[in-house]
Amino acid sequence: MKAVYTEHHRAHDVADEVYLGVAIPAHEVVQRAGIIRGALLADGGFELVDPTEHGELPILAVHDRGLLRFLEQAWSEVRRQALRRQSLVADTYPSRAMFEGLSEAALARLREPVAIGGRAGWWGLDSSNPIVPGTYEAARWAVDVALTAVDLVLDGERAVYGLCRPPGHHAARAMAAGYCFFNNAAIAAEAIARATGERVAILDLDYHHGNGTQQIFWRRGDVLYASLHADPARAYPFFLGYADEVGEGDGVGMNINLPLPAEIGDADYLAALDRALEAIADTPGSIVVVSLGFDTYRDDPMGDFALTRAGYAEAGRRVASLGRRLVILQEGGYHLPSLGKNAVAWLRGVEPVATARTMPRP
Amino acid sequence: MKAVYTEHHRAHDVADEVYLGVAIPAHEVVQRAGIIRGALLADGGFELVDPTEHGELPILAVHDRGLLRFLEQAWSEVRRQALRRQSLVADTYPSRAMFEGLSEAALARLREPVAIGGRAGWWGLDSSNPIVPGTYEAARWAVDVALTAVDLVLDGERAVYGLCRPPGHHAARAMAAGYCFFNNAAIAAEAIARATGERVAILDLDYHHGNGTQQIFWRRGDVLYASLHADPARAYPFFLGYADEVGEGDGVGMNINLPLPAEIGDADYLAALDRALEAIADTPGSIVVVSLGFDTYRDDPMGDFALTRAGYAEAGRRVASLGRRLVILQEGGYHLPSLGKNAVAWLRGVEPVATARTMPRP
């Protein structure tokens, strides 16, 4: 299997995140991508491919230009405004309740502040998402990783893995959030939809609900979003991800949320996966974008699921059995000792041929 | 002048706040109220009065019941959910952009999460607003301080000072924010409006825009809100407080924002105050609620204005010259060495008679 990877992700080197008001060591760290890359190389069944640059246009097909400009300018503004910080974390966010009673016209007149802390809040959701000097560079390359995986699949590959870092699925049209700046999976799906004219399905298997992907395609009839994730009543992103969120307008029925309980194991998880796969199978189209997270692992420090490596292999197998081409993009997963092996297990589930090729025969 | 005060504010004893992702010593501290109380006693021109309990109803006239319930339950939930924290600070807030594209019906289906961190975000705006074990007790008593000041004015006092702590003007109908939990000034104005049937004016002289008060009365024709404050492009609360926010519906023209530049001095500030006072004078009614902050002081650690004590005395004098009865409620002000003297200067400006009564005569 081809796996798209670039060292540029290292530019997004975050030391701390702010969890419930307290700085803790960051979960979404540089080592994550290196560990997965190392495991792919050790396995031998993967061919690493460099991403190619795709420019701003595919991003602007999905995101507000202001978000892109903010991320591009953020660190130079931190310096210009003489903010003494190793990273930029907002403290004030445009909560809905602040604007209650404003008409659509009044809401449209709201404006991005000038103070860099206010700007970060304006384009943000949470304090777990620090911006560092290289965030924009890495986030742009993560998009290029995803779009290069799309190119390869459009060129005929059956399944390609994009080792995106930073991840993307929490980023909405006009919002960065939860370790995510640009929504790699949404940008990939949009690029596929435009290139093929087909319907596209996104299968989100990260522990957390992909609120950003849901938001971007909420009213779209041509992109199916199906997500298995922790019930938002107990887990980030808290405010979206319930089963009754089914899309609106043209998108009615094209948003499928399967919130799951704590301690869920392989069997129940795979049963939920089958429900999502059936919905995808019922929808026309030949390509599926997979938002793949390993924070569903039983030892993950952020999650409370109890999946095993064998479960990942089986999940990959079942996704592959859809018979559709796959653009598999990395989202979360924070248990460093297991991350590489879990990725290999899942991807080998998709493409056992590669495994056979690399296993010595007697 | 009668001044309403209670020691119950001490229950809200906050050590740290989170500013741009970093824990710093709290600005809104217990000492603030003690310093002002001490200065009032030292002056001799003030009669301290205990607040009386007014119950939930006046709060629910202004706030969402869910906000009240959350604040009431927050600390026991912190303990029940085994969150090991000295204070509850959210990290994830329901930013508008998260919900873009949702219809009113879908927005109405959004729900408060169960996880206490998510609940705090649901009802919050920023990380500068920690909840501690005694926050609810103190916030309830701050409302009672404000409502007791209202009672005294309705009973015939010309001007009464309510030493509210925590302050209130950032708290919106369904949101706590910026050291504020219940909007003391809005609750007071609503109580006055209901008791008198008259129009009520709120004059907000805190350094920060009173976004909560503006929100609560945004579409109300019977409550005028006029605020002098730092331009939100550079200062908290960042997203509201611009001059073009004039109210909507019945409230058109009843919201007056006067955003001011950094380093503004007494003369320019008093000229802006005159504009607000003219608007109030043009509006029927006999009672003005003043949201009084001293974070406009030249030495304040949060503000960037350059007001002096003499400026406060003159401001008090000009507000009194409206000839209306005044319910003066404490909001911000964080330069502890000046806080008491500044309060006395402002209030003496309102009621020089009291000064005369306490000054020794030859």
Side-chain angles (χ1 to χ4, degrees), chain A residues 178-197:
Chain A
Y179 314 154
C180 303
F181 301 92
F182 299 123
N183 193 316
N184 308 308
I187 294 165
E190 178 70 17
I192 294 165
R194 293 188 180 202
T196 64

Side-chain angles (χ1 to χ4, degrees), chain B residues 125-147:
Chain B
L125 176 73
D126 58 74
S127 64
S128 62
N129 207 24
I131 292 172
V132 295
T135 296
Y136 180 67
E137 176 191 345
R140 283 294 303 268
W141 278 106
V143 171
D144 287 322
V145 165
L147 289 171

